[in-house]
Amino acid sequence: MKDASTNSNAKRMAGEAAAELVKSGMVVGLGTGSTVAWTIQRLGARVREEGLELLGVPTSFQSEHLAIASGIKLTSLNQHPILDLAIDGADQVDADLFVIKGGGAAHTREKVVSCSAKRFVIVADESKFVQRLSRPVPVEVLAFATRLVERRLQSLGGSPVLRQAMRKDGPVITDNGNLVMDVDFGSIQDPRALAAKISPIPGVVEHGIFDNVDELYLARADGVEKIRRSR
Ligand code: 5RP
């Protein structure tokens, strides 16, 4: 699933630009993936070079380990239930700032963390920006409920495929111990309406449609464009 972009320069531009939003004293949600990894590393550099003081709340084992290696102090949502800011990557984003996330199977924690933040910023390169969302929607599922969830998603018009691990036999197991289905709905006309139909299916832990993005840092050839939510 991690094939949306190989544009690492653009990812770096967007990721590092968003790191400048962080001010001393902030508690910041740290997303998952190769774009926000640049944000985390830049924040680590700011801690070392400027004495920036921040506390991070990671969204995955990946972001936790990278933050620790970068010298960022960590906290938890139990200790800091309201975050000043959350920064994360995306697999696709449209002009209304609806987003599909979960290419790294971290969307459940990413949603909890971003919904705990006063401001949610997405960092992405131009290849992620589309007129209409169309990537398969990642859905985290209790293993026990797989067959029921599969049938319900099919009845919504989706084609679910259980995500397989790359360097392990069998399915991907999330940081929460669950499975992930990638559900192809074709071109998604109304992301919010689709999200509202997926959420109540028994056994669905969380889906990868996000409607809570405040701002997009989009790396284009000539610089990073900042697009605010208008809806
Ligand atoms: C992880 C995610 C990532 O943020 C998304 O897959 C983007 O990753 P990358 O920046 O590596 O392209 O949602 O679950």
Side-chain angles (χ1 to χ4, degrees), residues 2 11 32-35 88-91 101-107 110 128:
K2 303 294 289 181
K11 288 181 178 204
T32 297
S34 57
T35 313
D88 208 338
D91 298 305
K101 289 183 51 52
H107 57 279
E110 292 172 331
K128 309 281 185 68

Side-chain angles (χ1 to χ4, degrees), residues 34-185:
S34 57
T35 313
V36 77
W38 289 111
T39 311
I40 295 172
Q41 290 171 97
R42 177 71 195 124
L43 288 172
R46 291 189 59 200
V47 168
R48 290 189 301 278
E49 292 161 14
E50 300 166 26
L52 178 75
E53 289 191 14
L54 82 142
L55 289 171
V57 176
T59 51
S60 62
F61 290 133
Q62 185 215 35
S63 59
E64 180 181 351
H65 291 160
L66 181 59
I68 291 168
S70 304
I72 297 171
K73 289 187 185 147
L74 297 179
T75 182
S76 68
L77 288 179
N78 284 336
Q79 287 166 295
H80 291 89
I82 297 173
L83 311 181
D84 296 293
L85 174 68
I87 305 172
D88 208 338
D91 298 305
Q92 263 188 346
V93 52
D94 72 13
D96 293 322
L97 302 196
F98 287 113
V99 164
I100 291 179
K101 289 183 51 52
H107 57 279
T108 298
R109 293 191 192 193
E110 292 172 331
K111 195 170 282 185
V112 172
V113 167
S114 64
C115 285
S116 302
K118 292 180 200 161
R119 183 180 180 192
F120 180 33
V121 175
I122 286 286
V123 287
D125 64 85
E126 208 172 4
S127 71
K128 309 281 185 68
F129 196 57
V130 293
Q131 283 302 312
R132 189 173 281 183
L133 299 179
S134 59
R135 274 181 73 92
V137 177
V139 179
E140 183 165 351
V141 181
L142 285 180
F144 178 74
T146 309
R147 304 310 299 273
L148 171 66
V149 172
E150 207 171 43
R151 284 201 305 280
R152 294 285 182 98
L153 290 168
Q154 282 164 345
S155 74
L156 294 178
S159 303
V161 173
L162 189 63
R163 193 181 297 183
Q164 298 297 319
M166 298 289 281
R167 300 190 62 191
K168 160 192 170 288
D169 292 333
V172 165
I173 311 289
T174 70
D175 288 2
N176 312 307
N178 300 310
L179 305 180
V180 175
M181 289 179 186
D182 293 298
V183 193
D184 192 349
F185 288 98

